Amino acid sequence: MRVVTLLLASSCAAFWGCGQEITVLQCDGHVDVDAGVTGDTGPFDSGTPDLGMADLGVDGGTPGDTGPEPDSGVMGCNGATYCLTDLVVSAEEAPVRTAVTFTPTVDNPQSKVLTYRVELAGSSRRPELPALVLSDITHTINVDPNTGLVTFLVTEVPTWFASTTFEIRLYAKGPGNEPEVNVSASVKIKGNLVISSGSIIYAMASDGRPARSQNFTQGRFISGQSFVRTPRDLLLARDGSLVVYDFGAVPHRLRRFDLSGENSLLQDFEFQDANQMPYLERSDASRGLAQLPDGRYGAVDYSFSRTPKSRIVLFNENGSYAATLTALDPNVEWAGLTTTPAGELVTLERGTDGRLVTLSPSTGAVTGMIAQGVSNGFTVTRSDDGFYYVGLTSGVIRISAQGARQMVSGIQTGTSDWYQYFSPFGPTSMAISRDFGSESDNVGIVVGTMFTGWLRQAAVNNPYLTPSGLAYLD
């Protein structure tokens, strides 16, 4: 005999489901209860040693038999007459409004008639993000009752929707008192891309349509002068909040928003000292907002009329002021800001022969050069797979950590377009934007060194905007 555990569905709430774990003693085809004979090595003996004679089990064993043998008509599934051995998902990650299928692998050697049902067994995000409220989204989940093929589709998401992994559980049951068995699989639905433009932060679902606004229209996520004036750089922080550089606030400042609703302002970072002198002057259009591995935030602050022209202002993770790193070269223009995994800052020294350099987060001194000869770049952002993407006029260049450079291919662009604001958009993807007003053709996706197309769809009520900041809610 062997112990086999089956999970039987109960009559709990349909959404999360629940089960009751029971223990079933299942015949394995080898009746291993001795009649007082010796030499048997099988489990659960209750007899006395025999003299090496054959078992009295139904397998007609020979002396020294050491294991069970299957019954005729029973295979796999730990001795059960049928089971679900796998649930194959058509895509591990998918955008909103993309149907995902789950195909079961069924072991049913006796060809019993099985009926199927399915449920959404749970959802998860990285722990720093607010948990999903199911009523915030619209979704469908269906199963073919004869084949067990499951189709899952998320059709609408709110403006604050972040990437979410959904667990799908399929059940199968034979006739009469036959047990109900189950198997699970998961799919990740990509979060929104938030875009700042003018005085508003918009949210676009991962399929390029506006996310569903609760209080506004056309995917507006943060709006109104009580919350934001002129948002530019956007950053999804490691604590799950959205940090916004508000260029229109007086003085300029960083603001932190929660991803549990619209206009959910948590705090303003410190923005002036005891003498009411602002930490962020930024009278010219510089770009760059990043978070160091130790939690501190850095923002580039450039002014053409100031000496030195460039500096980086650091804030602690709780929003308090930390330090200001001033460029040792009084005339250098720092453009864009990102970090290395080791905790150094990375910026672009803008010029006709610009350099991509690392900076000490303690002193602001240049500690190394990644690449040289970058002509008049606007920004730099590190992708999740370790490459640096630099925005140029009419193009984008990818630079490896060792300094190897490649142009991104396939971008259909104007000769005067500036590529200024980027955001990682998955393990090997980068969302890029150009300073072009449109309802569609200004936010695109790069995978490796290939431009795959503009993400914002036309004729779907997308707002007309010019991007001035991007962040992926992942």
Side-chain angles (χ1 to χ4, degrees):
M1 303 288 286
R2 282 186 291 173
V3 178
V4 176
T5 300
L6 298 177
L7 198 63
L8 301 187
S10 71
S11 58
C12 301
F15 171 61
W16 297 121
C18 60
Q20 178 181 2
E21 192 172 277
I22 67 170
T23 299
V24 179
L25 294 181
Q26 186 71 42
C27 178
D28 62 10
H30 181 98
V31 179
D32 213 348
V33 178
D34 282 77
V37 294
T38 63
D40 185 62
T41 59
F44 303 124
D45 280 4
S46 59
T48 58
D50 63 21
L51 298 176
M53 298 179 65
D55 286 341
L56 297 181
V58 295
D59 63 7
T62 57
D65 185 16
T66 58
E69 297 176 7
D71 287 329
S72 175
V74 180
M75 59 180 295
C77 299
N78 291 325
T81 57
Y82 58 85
C83 66
L84 301 173
T85 61
D86 200 4
L87 191 59
V88 180
V89 61
S90 59
E92 293 183 358
E93 183 177 87
V96 170
R97 278 177 282 267
T98 298
V100 181
T101 59
F102 296 79
T103 305
T105 301
V106 184
D107 192 349
N108 185 14
Q110 298 181 13
S111 300
K112 295 194 174 184
V113 177
L114 302 179
T115 56
Y116 299 90
R117 67 181 182 90
V118 68
E119 65 184 22
L120 186 56
S123 66
S124 61
R125 291 169 169 166
R126 63 182 179 94
E128 297 82 6
L129 291 167
L132 174 72
V133 177
L134 188 63
S135 59
D136 286 343
I137 69 168
T138 303
H139 74 283
T140 59
I141 181 170
N142 297 301
V143 61
D144 186 314
N146 298 313
T147 66
L149 180 68
V150 177
T151 303
F152 177 67
L153 179 66
V154 175
T155 54
E156 291 285 349
V157 294
T159 51
W160 58 89
F161 179 75
S163 295
T164 306
T165 297
F166 294 90
E167 181 185 358
I168 307 300
R169 184 170 296 152
L170 176 68
Y171 294 86
K173 186 183 183 309
N177 294 326
E178 295 281 1
E180 186 173 57
V181 296
N182 69 78
V183 66
S184 298
S186 299
V187 61
K188 178 181 179 181
I189 301 300
K190 293 174 72 73
N192 295 340
L193 192 67
V194 290
I195 309 166
S196 57
S197 178
S199 61
I200 299 169
I201 298 175
Y202 296 89
M204 177 180 62
S206 51
D207 70 333
R209 294 171 176 261
R212 181 174 56 196
S213 291
Q214 182 182 53
N215 302 301
F216 310 109
T217 59
Q218 290 188 293
R220 297 187 182 197
F221 174 40
I222 300 173
S223 181
Q225 294 194 1
S226 297
F227 301 94
V228 70
R229 298 295 182 94
T230 309
R232 288 200 174 169
D233 290 284
L234 306 174
L235 175 69
L236 182 64
R238 68 178 188 178
D239 66 0
S241 63
L242 180 69
V243 176
V244 179
Y245 191 128
D246 194 345
F247 187 76
V250 182
H252 306 328
R253 67 196 66 180
L254 301 184
R255 290 179 153 162
R256 190 195 311 270
F257 291 84
D258 187 46
L259 296 183
S260 60
E262 293 169 350
N263 279 354
S264 184
L265 178 62
L266 294 174
Q267 70 169 133
D268 285 355
F269 285 32
E270 282 192 68
F271 52 83
Q272 62 187 13
D273 63 19
N275 297 318
Q276 297 187 336
M277 295 299 294
Y279 295 125
L280 293 167
E281 296 178 6
R282 196 170 170 172
S283 56
D284 299 313
S286 57
R287 304 154 197 87
L289 178 62
Q291 187 173 24
L292 287 157
D294 63 10
R296 289 179 298 164
Y297 299 92
V300 174
D301 189 87
Y302 170 80
S303 176
F304 178 79
S305 60
R306 185 181 62 207
T307 303
K309 292 180 170 57
S310 291
R311 62 188 191 179
I312 294 172
V313 183
L314 298 177
F315 298 87
N316 296 313
E317 193 165 15
N318 64 4
S320 61
Y321 170 75
T324 297
L325 309 177
T326 302
L328 300 182
D329 180 347
N331 296 311
V332 72
E333 180 181 348
W334 285 341
L337 189 66
T338 189
T339 64
T340 70
E344 290 186 299
L345 295 165
V346 178
T347 191
L348 183 69
E349 295 179 341
R350 192 168 188 268
T352 56
D353 190 29
R355 302 191 305 166
L356 187 64
V357 297
T358 57
L359 307 176
S360 166
S362 300
T363 65
V366 175
T367 58
M369 182 178 69
I370 298 173
Q372 190 171 9
V374 181
S375 179
N376 294 313
F378 294 107
T379 190
V380 57
T381 303
R382 184 178 180 272
S383 63
D384 291 343
D385 58 353
F387 290 91
Y388 299 97
Y389 286 80
V390 175
L392 310 171
T393 301
S394 304
V396 177
I397 190 170
R398 187 184 77 161
I399 304 175
S400 73
Q402 295 75 36
R405 289 175 286 175
Q406 290 179 281
M407 289 298 299
V408 171
S409 303
I411 300 179
Q412 298 178 356
T413 184
T415 57
S416 60
D417 290 338
W418 292 2
Y419 285 84
Q420 303 179 87
Y421 299 96
F422 296 173
S423 171
F425 194 62
T428 61
S429 302
M430 183 68 68
I432 63 173
S433 71
R434 59 175 175 164
D435 65 333
F436 176 75
S438 172
E439 68 171 13
S440 56
D441 297 344
N442 49 22
V443 175
I445 302 299
V446 172
V447 178
T449 58
M450 180 59 64
F451 178 73
T452 62
W454 303 112
L455 183 60
R456 301 181 70 219
Q457 297 186 32
V460 292
N461 200 34
N462 260 321
Y464 185 96
L465 57 81
T466 303
S468 56
L470 291 177
Y472 175 41
L473 305 185
D474 187 35

